[in-house]
Amino acid sequence: MGATLAKGIERLSAISFQMDSFSPQNSHHILISEYLRRVNVFLDKLSLFPDGYPLFSFAKMIGREIDADVYRACPQLDTLHNVYMKAVCYSYLEVCELIDLGVDDAIQNADLHEPMLKFFERDGTFNIRKGELEVGDAAYPLMYWRNLAIPVQDISDNSLDLIDRNGLEG
């Protein structure tokens, strides 16, 4: 196992996915927006078109295969019942593995999942229902997410803490 994959597993293992209650924070919306922006940049750069949702196998999108052991490397994900959140985590592990293998597309997109990882670390959760990504009472329509012009968001911990403390929007 390479160093990047080991760090990725360690990071995911530190996240508590077993939330008893969910209290959406303003920073969650900043993180979701930034993730959608980064996915759009990635897909545009490689002229790729996923099947609708911004959740996909990174490896498949760039035409690579991943050893099945990578998906079993983080036992904590076995207990995660939200298939959408699990898909993001597996895609992140794919990027980590491909970075360790020296794959250029993975190296160039090493921070693709950073907004979602921070979202999970800040006790964020989401679901997809009726074509919308739902975070608390807010819904992001996924019918046209690829056409959105989303500005770059500051997702530094200091900025996110300030947004949560003061109720400020990005």
Side-chain angles (χ1 to χ4, degrees):
M1 176 182 311
T4 308
L5 180 58
K7 278 183 170 178
I9 292 166
E10 182 180 330
R11 187 169 183 188
L12 288 177
S13 296
I15 297 171
S16 173
F17 290 108
Q18 307 306 322
M19 294 168 252
D20 296 328
S21 63
F22 172 62
S23 168
Q25 304 293 321
N26 287 331
S27 64
H28 291 164
H29 302 292
I30 298 300
L31 292 164
I32 292 290
S33 294
E34 180 60 13
Y35 175 70
L36 294 175
R37 186 194 70 76
R38 289 181 188 200
V39 168
N40 270 330
V41 169
F42 163 68
L43 296 172
D44 287 346
K45 191 164 72 172
L46 297 178
S47 299
L48 298 171
F49 305 95
D51 296 334
Y53 293 163
L55 313 169
F56 49 81
S57 163
F58 182 89
K60 285 182 183 171
M61 291 301 282
I62 65 167
R64 301 297 288 240
E65 299 226 356
I66 296 291
D67 187 304
D69 288 343
V70 170
Y71 304 110
R72 293 188 290 268
C74 186
Q76 174 146 344
L77 296 182
D78 294 340
T79 64
L80 180 57
H81 299 294
N82 182 315
V83 296
Y84 304 113
M85 290 171 56
K86 191 180 278 193
V88 171
C89 293
Y90 283 149
S91 184
Y92 168 63
L93 291 177
E94 291 173 353
V95 171
C96 292
E97 171 72 354
L98 292 168
I99 288 171
D100 285 337
L101 295 174
V103 175
D104 222 24
D105 287 331
I107 294 166
Q108 291 174 16
N109 292 284
D111 67 348
L112 178 67
H113 297 92
E114 187 64 19
M116 291 307 286
L117 296 172
K118 286 188 174 203
F119 175 80
F120 298 149
E121 289 166 342
R122 290 172 166 269
D123 298 327
T125 186
F126 72 91
N127 211 338
I128 295 179
R129 188 170 46 196
K130 297 182 181 179
E132 295 181 325
L133 189 148
E134 297 177 341
V135 178
D137 292 336
Y140 299 83
L142 296 176
M143 182 178 238
Y144 56 85
W145 70 274
R146 287 284 288 133
N147 301 321
L148 297 175
I150 303 169
V152 174
Q153 303 292 324
D154 178 358
I155 64 166
S156 67
D157 289 332
N158 287 340
S159 176
L160 296 172
D161 290 344
L162 183 65
I163 289 166
D164 285 341
R165 236 185 349 265
N166 298 332
L168 302 173
E169 297 283 332

